[in-house]
Amino acid sequence: MKKSVYIFGKPYFKKDPSAYDIAIAFSKIASKKWDTRLKTCHKSMFSFILWGLLCMSCTNTTTTKKNIDPTTATKDVSQKFEWKAATVYFLLTDRFYNGDKENDLNFKRDQETDVLRGFEGGDIKGVTKKIQEGYFSDLGIHAIWLTPVVEQVHGVVDEGTGATYGYHGYWTKDWTALDPNFGTKKDLKEMVDAAHAKGIRVLLDAVINHTGPVTASDPIWTNWVRQGAICDFKNYEGNTSCDLVANLPDIITNSDQEVELPEHLVKKWKDEGRYEEEVAALDLFFKTSGLPKAPRFYIMKWLSDYITDFGIDGYRCDTVKHTEPDIWKEFSTICDAAFLQWKQENPTKVIDDTEFYLVGEVYHYNASNGIQYDYGDKKVDYSKYGFDALINFDLKNQKNGTYQTVFEKYDTFFQNEFKEFSLLNYMSSHDDMEPFDPKRINPYQTATKLLLCPGAAQIYYGDEVGRSLIIPETQGDATLRSIMDWEAITTNFEKQKLLTHWQKLGSFRHKHNAIGAGNHFHIQDTPYVFARTRTEQNYKDTVIIGLEFSKGQKKIPVNHFFEEGDTVIDTYSGTKAIVTNNEILLHTPFDIVLLEKE
């Protein structure tokens, strides 16, 4: 009788002693995120698990784990980082900044497309340039999330919104290669290193649900994908066991049936001279992990390579509700192991001891409906499947709610049902046709409500300068994806003024975890004044914020959140004041105050 062990809740059989030993060890931690207890595990065993499961280069991976001292590298980090309080900048790689015009045309992608549906030149080098210039640091950004940078289908596709290339990154042709329109692996390494040197983390986008569309240049992934039903979105099965749209082949993620590499991928790798290398890495992965050669595990292995090779800090997971929940727990465990492996091998590049981050896109997930997502016939609590947070579609709907109504509502979320979970709030995004302020009429309110709301915040590229979301002659979501106009940012006074507002709020938020992860206390209705406090281990953070003041003289109650005689600074204006009689007096030319203790 074959001896079995459960990994990810499923039985896998002993293939050889080393694989079985690894399976036993790994199964003990596969049901949840790595925690601090693992740091006390026997070091050689820990390295062995990482080596065996994740197929590293075998250099120093079976020796005793190195002691990681995050202070050995110089970083622009001033306080303990918390993903719950993070500000994430989300950009479409192709639309942000063209840092290398030499890579603008590849694979003969020269067919005319519909408006804003072809490659426009943005690339990884462009992101690196803006990191080095301090653009993200000035905005108080904790992490940059890029759309997928893997190689896209070569052909043009029309899904009913005009001829389109895979500029957005969600039409994968090869998970192991970068699309040359976005850049090279050398470019990616330099970008991640540049971000880390500024204390900024990097999120990439994980697509496990589907391959790219089939075109004359891009064959179907035979035996890897379903072919048939289109999702009707009426229930659980109508979301998970079907193609999202016609000609977007759905990966068979609910089966452990082993499959071979598709013939077209084998040919591609051979033509590129890397077939033997790729197959050897896959063989080692499957041999040592004991996992079946099912489609999802190939993809998880390939995606984990971007962690071990480049040290990315997290993944935003695409189309989460269209795959089975269990696969995300599997993915989370593999990512956690890969991240620990990277930290072990790159101790001088480690920012801190923060764990790998997974945030899920469950389309239409609304925190107001509770922590579970309702498919109609089934509810799923994705906080139990490896995620640290979900993207929240609720805040951008709070157009008429007062600041206090919205902030109190979100504070209630985080003091109760979401206490151990997080939400990534946003006001506009790449595929949400109902943003908070589609005409950019209230760009200042967009910033204030987003960046001061409890929870993590996602800035969509161009929010900070009022980039238009209504582009003539576009079809569908292309209107949300215009090119970042850097010249206008440097020459247009109104855009510069708006950018300054975002920078002041973002920088204040970056300094104070209390804003995103603290407790909210209402102080005064008119003008509106509130406090946020955050106590975490030996760290205590307190701020007071005032909105909708008259410009000029201001009297601000502090309700003992600051002590009598304390000197406080309004970081929005740079003005100092002393707490007297439980209040402070300020004279500033702005209608907002951001108060911190000196």
Side-chain angles (χ1 to χ4, degrees), residues 202-412:
V202 176
L203 306 180
L204 293 184
D205 215 311
V207 181
I208 299 177
N209 175 70
H210 55 269
T211 69
V214 177
T215 77
S217 306
D218 308 286
I220 195 163
W221 289 58
T222 305
N223 298 326
W224 284 55
V225 298
R226 297 180 177 90
Q227 297 182 60
I230 306 299
C231 294
D232 61 17
F233 311 114
K234 292 180 179 179
N235 51 32
Y236 178 77
E237 288 297 319
N239 275 275
T240 59
S241 301
C242 46
D243 293 347
L244 284 178
V245 296
N247 198 22
L248 193 64
D250 189 71
I251 294 287
I252 301 172
T253 51
N254 63 339
S255 172
D256 290 337
Q257 180 67 44
E258 296 201 349
V259 297
E260 297 299 321
L261 292 167
E263 290 183 7
H264 68 271
L265 188 62
V266 170
K267 181 179 185 305
K268 178 179 183 294
W269 286 354
K270 287 182 176 179
D271 290 345
E272 294 170 354
R274 58 190 180 96
Y275 172 76
E276 289 78 10
E277 178 186 358
E278 294 293 346
V279 170
L282 285 168
D283 287 345
L284 183 59
F285 174 80
F286 286 115
K287 178 181 178 181
T288 54
S289 69
L291 297 171
K293 291 184 176 180
R296 71 184 186 280
F297 289 122
Y298 281 97
I299 298 171
M300 289 179 193
K301 186 274 178 192
W302 292 331
L303 290 172
S304 74
D305 287 344
Y306 291 93
I307 307 170
T308 54
D309 291 349
F310 305 102
I312 66 168
D313 304 276
Y315 269 119
R316 176 267 191 183
C317 300
D318 185 61
T319 52
V320 165
K321 75 176 186 180
H322 301 296
T323 54
E324 299 73 27
D326 284 337
I327 79 159
W328 300 110
K329 187 182 291 185
E330 297 168 349
F331 185 52
S332 171
T333 306
I334 289 174
C335 287
D336 287 343
F339 196 44
L340 285 170
Q341 177 73 23
W342 179 83
K343 284 186 172 184
Q344 175 191 331
E345 296 182 344
N346 299 273
T348 62
K349 294 183 178 181
V350 175
I351 297 178
D352 55 31
D353 62 356
T354 303
E355 296 178 345
F356 197 78
Y357 181 69
L358 282 190
V359 55
E361 179 228 19
V362 176
Y363 206 81
H364 290 143
Y365 180 80
N366 187 319
S368 293
N369 297 329
I371 200 166
Q372 297 187 90
Y373 179 76
D374 190 353
Y375 283 92
D377 62 339
K378 178 178 182 176
K379 291 185 178 181
V380 175
D381 181 354
Y382 284 98
S383 71
K384 301 184 184 303
Y385 291 93
F387 288 105
D388 299 286
L390 291 183
I391 295 172
N392 176 34
F393 286 65
D394 175 71
L395 183 62
K396 57 97 179 184
N397 294 325
Q398 305 300 317
K399 300 179 182 182
N400 299 318
T402 66
Y403 288 119
Q404 171 58 17
T405 299
V406 174
F407 296 166
E408 184 177 49
K409 172 182 177 180
Y410 275 75
D411 180 63
T412 301

Side-chain angles (χ1 to χ4, degrees), residues 449-461:
K449 193 167 281 188
L450 173 66
L451 295 181
L452 298 182
C453 185
Q458 172 217 292
I459 300 174
Y460 183 45
Y461 81 104

Side-chain angles (χ1 to χ4, degrees), residues 391-442:
I391 295 172
N392 176 34
F393 286 65
D394 175 71
L395 183 62
K396 57 97 179 184
N397 294 325
Q398 305 300 317
K399 300 179 182 182
N400 299 318
T402 66
Y403 288 119
Q404 171 58 17
T405 299
V406 174
F407 296 166
E408 184 177 49
K409 172 182 177 180
Y410 275 75
D411 180 63
T412 301
F413 288 163
F414 293 116
Q415 304 313 317
N416 294 282
E417 194 171 14
F418 291 87
K419 190 174 183 66
E420 303 301 325
F421 198 52
S422 183
L423 297 169
L424 182 57
N425 302 316
Y426 72 93
M427 293 305 209
S428 66
S429 191
H430 66 314
D431 58 2
D432 187 334
M433 298 300 291
E434 298 179 344
F436 177 78
D437 182 22
K439 296 182 180 179
R440 301 293 198 189
I441 295 172
N442 299 304

Side-chain angles (χ1 to χ4, degrees), residues 502-553:
W502 281 83
Q503 288 172 336
K504 288 181 178 181
L505 288 174
S507 296
F508 190 66
R509 179 185 171 91
H510 189 279
K511 290 174 64 178
H512 297 287
N513 289 343
I515 296 173
N519 294 331
H520 175 82
F521 298 94
H522 173 261
I523 294 176
Q524 176 178 283
D525 283 327
T526 308
Y528 179 47
V529 181
F530 63 92
R532 296 272 171 81
T533 65
R534 175 67 166 163
T535 301
E536 187 71 17
Q537 296 177 341
N538 297 324
Y539 171 76
K540 185 173 182 180
D541 184 29
T542 300
V543 298
I544 291 178
I545 297 170
L547 304 175
E548 301 172 332
F549 275 86
S550 297
K551 296 177 181 180
Q553 191 73 16

